[in-house]
Amino acid sequence: MDIYDKLIENPLFFKWIYHPSQEIDSWWNTYLKMNPDEADQILRFKQSFIALDFPHQKLTDLEKKELAKRIILGIESVEKKKERTQFLIGLTRYAAIAILFFSIGGVFVYLQLGKQNNEWYAEETRIPSQLEGPVLILPEGESIALNKKESSLDFTNPENVLVNDETELHSKNEVQKLLTNQVIIPYGNRSKITLSDSTVVWLNAGSRLVFPSKFSGKQREVLLFGEAFFDVTRNEEMPFIVKTSSLEVKVLGTEFNVSAYPEDNTVQTVLKEGSVSIRRNNSGIFESDIVLKPNQMALFNKNTQNSKVYNVDAAYYTIWVKGLLSFDDQDFSRIIKKIERYYNIQIRYTDPLVGLQKISGKLDLNKNLEEVFEYLAKVSSTEIRKIDNNNYEIK
Amino acid sequence: MDCYICLNINPENRPLAQDARNKDYWQLVLLKFKTGDRDSFEEIYNEFADQLFAYGAKITTDRELLKDCIQDLFIDLYKYNPTIRNAELLEYYLYKSLKRLIIKKLKKDKLLEGFGYEHSSFDLIFSAETDSFPEELINEQIELLQKALKTLDDKKRELLFLKFDSGLNYNEIGDLLDMKPDTVKKQVYRILQYLRGNFGPKILELLFMCYKA
């Protein structure tokens, strides 16, 4: 691709010619300054577009404002209609809670029974509570503190690993590269890890990822406890496999989210793009894999060992990568669990029924806890009180 | 919902929508718009209204009809939660829906008069084709270009307009015009080859190739 092709493929180039504005001009001025060797060609190429200029019909400023006003009024009237139907939905919600109230006894019995087939490694895969902060544990057992709430690791070049964008590790030993590293991210922290094949993994709070410095063999395998979002680099020769305590997710190249916290009763796989197949550990020969399409979620129940597939909006499940938490008609208790993990706090219920209600909304977890709680209290019509530093209570 | 907490959008450093690196930013704006947030509506509106109006004006000269269509376009975007899973497709959605809305309205209004979009033309005229183009700039190359431009049909004019005036990619333009993405790309390159600076005998050859094909 030469410079002209590059310009033709860049919509910002045409915007600069046909819709000049302060923003776009300053964007290009910066670009030209940073790439002085291209500047001459770019400017000349731009100049040659005089002949291909064409008249634009424009909205006047007044027209533009009036039109905006009309649209806002239109949206508001849609909103009013929505509210009316939501009131009715709200009423049915109370009925749903009443039904849940009567079935809760059954659920408790059920959960107790399920606990008997405890996973053997659930204990050792819990995040050690004495852990001070996020760490990288090298094959030799040496551990390196990542020292940041939002840390990053880059294994693109296994001989020169970047920790928080700075060179930290040199490994010349070929064998060592094939051994596995472990990243442990305690609650209240997150990390972005770039693997040797350029696959990017966002590791959520309270999670652990085990992976080799360099992939080899027929498969790229990583082990996950907790939640991570994967953007997998395509390689058909070498499928990428995420192993969890109860199932395996196999992909060629795609974007998806896996949530497999040892303390959760379910393993959740949500596909954003591409395709993945999911296989239960110790599955029988005749059991076929589950294949997900984009915007589908497979929910594996550890007790029944069964999976169900739902159609969802993947954006809701992957937005935590940006520090946002989005939920649409989800159990309040599940949201509370996520917040506990994210901020590393404990939240108690004075009334356990509160956790059963369904709520919708969006949270920015980059904000401070007070603001997040204020919002949560509003959408759930509850009160959230601070008991001490790490303990809160919901009324 | 009347309350939400989300990233604060600072209009001072609003990133350019066509800059692929701002995917996440526009994703957020779109999400916020869906919750009924007025600021993010204005964000989307300010970014695309002029562009969309310019496009619509090439299909119909009726400004009021066009404004009505743009109004419906944004209300639909809010109301129907269309399948824009990611913000990258937002621009494509807006162009495609606007075109559909205009044609629908034109057909409805002009049913009695007996003509619709099929018979109206995509009104795109380049400077080189107009009388106002400075004569002192007209040289052999410009003359060739003028000739070439005259052979363009409406579809190809619309194609060039979309390439120059929007951030849509070849797949999206192809979809809008019911053409193969490859054909779209070839067409763009044929015309732009001319402008690539390497004026010379090559140009004749290229133009010959383009417009015979």
Side-chain angles (χ1 to χ4, degrees):
Chain A
M1 221 191 218
D2 67 17
I3 177 168
Y4 298 112
D5 288 337
K6 244 170 60 195
L7 290 172
I8 290 168
E9 296 314 321
N10 186 353
L12 287 174
F13 179 65
F14 292 117
K15 196 164 183 141
W16 189 33
I17 296 171
Y18 296 115
H19 291 279
S21 69
Q22 242 178 338
E23 286 157 335
I24 191 90
D25 286 348
S26 74
W27 192 95
W28 278 100
N29 284 339
T30 322
Y31 183 88
L32 294 175
K33 242 177 241 158
M34 280 164 68
N35 305 279
D37 47 322
E38 293 178 8
D40 192 46
Q41 277 168 296
I42 292 177
L43 287 170
R44 264 200 298 153
F45 193 48
K46 186 189 177 211
Q47 194 55 34
S48 64
F49 269 87
I50 292 181
L52 277 186
D53 198 7
F54 49 85
H56 278 95
Q57 287 289 333
K58 281 190 187 113
L59 279 168
T60 64
D61 281 352
L62 186 68
E63 274 181 315
K64 200 173 167 182
K65 265 185 204 143
E66 273 173 4
L67 183 55
K69 228 182 255 168
R70 269 162 58 183
I71 295 170
I72 287 170
L73 283 175
I75 287 177
E76 275 168 1
S77 76
V78 172
E79 189 61 25
K80 272 186 201 128
K81 267 185 222 148
K82 253 193 200 166
E83 268 165 26
R84 249 173 275 145
T85 50
Q86 256 165 13
F87 173 69
L88 289 175
I89 294 169
L91 285 181
T92 56
R93 194 164 296 166
Y94 286 111
I97 290 175
I99 293 167
L100 271 173
F101 179 75
F102 291 113
S103 53
I104 197 160
V107 172
F108 269 124
V109 172
Y110 182 66
L111 288 180
Q112 278 323 104
L113 285 174
K115 281 233 169 81
Q116 283 168 2
N117 49 10
N118 240 340
E119 269 124 35
W120 54 271
Y121 46 79
E123 213 45 58
E124 68 158 274
T125 53
R126 288 260 159 93
I127 304 302
S129 54
Q130 68 273 24
L131 209 63
E132 284 292 335
V135 290
L136 164 67
I137 301 174
L138 297 175
E140 311 85 310
E142 189 197 337
S143 60
I144 292 167
L146 300 179
N147 288 333
K148 254 187 175 176
K149 276 183 93 101
E150 307 270 329
S151 53
S152 76
L153 284 167
D154 190 341
F155 279 82
T156 321
N157 178 0
E159 276 165 31
N160 189 1
V161 175
L162 303 177
V163 177
N164 296 331
D165 298 323
E166 280 167 41
T167 306
E168 187 75 51
L169 307 162
H170 299 275
S171 154
K172 286 260 145 67
N173 188 331
E174 278 304 317
V175 183
Q176 244 177 34
K177 277 182 219 156
L178 304 179
L179 294 174
T180 53
N181 302 282
Q182 239 190 100
V183 176
I184 305 179
I185 304 298
Y187 294 141
N189 295 268
R190 291 183 307 157
S191 186
K192 178 183 172 185
I193 304 155
T194 311
L195 303 178
S196 63
D197 63 340
S198 303
T199 290
V200 183
V201 185
W202 284 266
L203 201 55
N204 207 348
S207 302
R208 178 193 294 231
L209 185 76
V210 182
F211 59 96
S213 302
K214 197 179 163 189
F215 289 112
S216 66
K218 285 188 180 141
Q219 296 181 336
R220 297 172 279 169
E221 274 184 21
V222 301
L223 200 58
L224 169 72
F225 306 100
E227 180 167 21
F229 177 73
F230 294 87
D231 185 352
V232 175
T233 306
R234 199 170 182 86
N235 182 350
E236 300 194 355
E237 258 88 68
M238 242 170 124
F240 192 95
I241 293 178
V242 180
K243 296 190 160 187
T244 76
S245 60
S246 38
L247 49 83
E248 274 186 7
V249 183
K250 185 173 168 184
V251 300
L252 299 171
T254 186
E255 290 178 39
F256 63 102
N257 193 72
V258 177
S259 173
Y261 285 102
E263 65 268 38
D264 280 358
N265 216 17
T266 52
V267 178
Q268 196 188 68
T269 309
V270 178
L271 181 63
K272 193 173 159 209
E273 253 176 71
S275 96
V276 299
S277 65
I278 300 165
R279 170 170 284 261
R280 183 165 72 90
N281 290 349
N282 327 312
S283 61
I285 330 168
F286 297 110
E287 208 175 302
S288 55
D289 295 357
I290 295 169
V291 178
L292 286 190
K293 289 188 205 118
N295 288 304
Q296 282 191 335
M297 166 173 82
L299 207 58
F300 175 81
N301 187 314
K302 289 181 190 169
N303 294 328
T304 61
Q305 293 280 306
N306 278 326
S307 287
K308 271 191 184 151
V309 176
Y310 301 89
N311 289 320
V312 297
D313 186 348
Y316 283 121
Y317 295 88
T318 56
I319 200 161
W320 63 263
V321 170
K322 293 166 210 151
L324 297 176
L325 185 57
S326 180
F327 37 94
D328 185 21
D329 208 23
Q330 279 196 26
D331 287 353
F332 189 43
S333 59
R334 206 173 165 104
I335 309 301
I336 291 297
K337 190 95 222 150
K338 285 191 176 170
I339 289 170
E340 282 185 325
R341 285 173 185 148
Y342 192 90
Y343 290 104
N344 197 16
I345 51 171
Q346 305 284 323
I347 302 171
R348 269 208 329 248
Y349 299 88
T350 47
D351 175 4
L353 276 181
V354 167
L356 291 176
Q357 64 170 311
K358 306 255 185 213
I359 59 168
S360 302
K362 254 174 232 77
L363 284 172
D364 179 2
L365 300 178
N366 302 316
K367 300 245 172 183
N368 65 36
L369 199 51
E370 276 71 28
E371 279 178 84
V372 168
F373 275 161
E374 197 189 315
Y375 169 75
L376 264 185
K378 242 187 201 167
V379 292
S380 62
S381 345
T382 54
E383 240 183 86
I384 303 174
R385 255 179 355 113
K386 190 171 184 167
I387 300 170
D388 60 42
N389 249 344
N390 290 317
N391 289 289
Y392 291 79
E393 197 180 44
I394 297 183
K395 254 205 235 170
Chain B
M1 190 170 311
D2 58 349
C3 58
Y4 44 84
I5 304 173
C6 215
L7 280 187
N8 278 322
I9 291 168
N10 178 3
E12 299 272 302
N13 46 30
R14 183 158 62 97
L16 298 157
Q18 278 87 357
D19 192 348
R21 289 166 303 179
N22 297 318
K23 205 168 100 180
D24 291 354
Y25 175 86
W26 285 97
Q27 184 86 55
L28 258 179
V29 173
L30 190 59
L31 271 171
K32 276 187 78 177
F33 174 60
K34 289 284 168 200
T35 67
D37 176 53
R38 189 175 290 191
D39 289 346
S40 48
F41 158 69
E42 276 168 19
E43 191 83 352
I44 297 174
Y45 180 78
N46 285 333
E47 179 71 30
F48 294 109
D50 292 323
Q51 237 174 287
L52 289 167
F53 188 84
Y55 176 60
K58 300 274 175 229
I59 301 175
T60 174
T61 47
D62 186 340
R63 287 176 88 88
E64 291 311 311
L65 181 140
L66 179 53
K67 280 194 265 176
D68 286 346
C69 290
I70 293 178
Q71 180 182 351
D72 292 349
L73 175 69
F74 278 95
I75 293 174
D76 284 357
L77 175 68
Y78 179 74
K79 201 158 72 181
Y80 295 126
N81 195 5
T83 48
I84 324 172
R85 296 275 181 224
N86 52 45
E88 277 167 280
L89 292 176
L90 175 62
E91 190 172 3
Y92 165 73
Y93 168 84
L94 292 172
Y95 273 88
K96 179 148 182 145
S97 305
L98 180 64
K99 188 176 179 182
R100 184 177 48 80
L101 287 166
I102 294 172
I103 292 172
K104 209 170 103 188
K105 269 222 164 76
L106 280 177
K107 274 192 180 152
K108 203 176 132 204
D109 290 0
K110 301 202 172 150
L111 205 59
L112 295 171
E113 292 164 47
F115 66 95
Y117 169 74
E118 292 87 333
H119 302 285
S120 70
S121 62
F122 194 84
D123 173 36
L124 177 69
I125 303 291
F126 293 99
S127 298
E129 294 176 87
T130 60
D131 299 336
S132 60
F133 191 74
E135 225 160 287
E136 65 271 21
L137 286 179
I138 296 182
N139 54 28
E140 213 176 311
Q141 268 79 34
I142 294 290
E143 271 169 30
L144 275 171
L145 181 70
Q146 282 176 335
K147 236 181 231 168
L149 289 171
K150 275 193 190 115
T151 67
L152 292 178
D153 58 28
D154 286 345
K155 217 174 190 180
K156 284 178 187 143
R157 285 182 189 272
E158 188 171 349
L159 180 161
L160 279 178
F161 177 87
L162 289 170
K163 177 67 194 164
F164 291 158
D165 221 61
S166 76
L168 300 178
N169 61 36
Y170 295 121
N171 286 330
E172 292 165 338
I173 296 176
D175 199 284
L176 266 166
L177 297 174
D178 216 7
M179 287 167 95
K180 285 197 190 117
D182 275 0
T183 319
V184 176
K185 190 170 177 177
K186 257 184 230 153
Q187 195 62 41
V188 170
Y189 271 72
R190 278 170 183 176
I191 299 214
L192 295 186
Q193 279 292 357
Y194 158 80
L195 288 165
R196 294 190 42 163
N198 43 350
F199 288 8
K202 248 186 179 171
I203 287 296
L204 277 169
E205 219 173 281
L206 280 166
L207 283 173
F208 184 72
M209 222 174 67
C210 309
Y211 301 105
K212 282 285 171 190

